[in-house]
Amino acid sequence: MWSLAVTIWICDRMFCTYWLSISFPYLHAFWHVLIFFSSNEAIVICGYLTIKYQNPQANLHLHFWPNENWNILSLPYLKFHDDDIDDSISAKLIV
């Protein structure tokens, strides 16, 4: 995804006058959206590597928001396996 974002940015910069002549000035906006998703993926990867380096026994799960099946069009995030406790059990632990 990052390479697609960079390609769009280069096309936007190199052929700006062409895109404006055909009334299509939206490549820069597409670049912003793609670089947002790419940056989030990079942050999650760095977070995963940092946690695994500092605590190799950490049991991390990769999840995608808003839907687990849309890997490309979703925002990835990490979740510790210990956070998967049932709400009713955690409520009893607090009381």
Side-chain angles (χ1 to χ4, degrees):
M1 188 174 304
W2 184 83
S3 58
L4 179 63
V6 170
T7 303
I8 287 176
W9 180 76
I10 291 171
C11 287
D12 180 46
R13 298 296 294 168
M14 291 181 67
F15 305 112
C16 183
T17 54
Y18 172 73
W19 298 119
L20 290 175
S21 70
I22 62 170
S23 299
F24 190 78
Y26 306 112
L27 282 183
H28 193 76
F30 292 145
W31 174 80
H32 277 281
V33 171
L34 290 174
I35 211 69
F36 166 75
F37 281 102
S38 299
S39 297
N40 187 52
E41 289 175 0
I43 291 169
V44 170
I45 290 170
C46 288
Y48 177 82
L49 294 174
T50 301
I51 291 170
K52 281 298 196 180
Y53 177 75
Q54 293 178 353
N55 186 6
Q57 294 82 21
N59 193 4
L60 294 172
H61 293 271
L62 180 65
H63 293 279
F64 295 93
W65 181 87
N67 189 337
E68 293 290 328
N69 298 325
W70 302 346
N71 295 347
I72 294 175
L73 299 174
S74 297
L75 294 174
Y77 66 94
L78 295 173
K79 189 173 183 182
F80 285 99
H81 181 66
D82 297 333
D83 292 339
D84 291 337
I85 297 175
D86 186 24
D87 288 337
S88 61
I89 295 173
S90 63
K92 290 177 185 176
L93 292 175
I94 293 172
V95 176

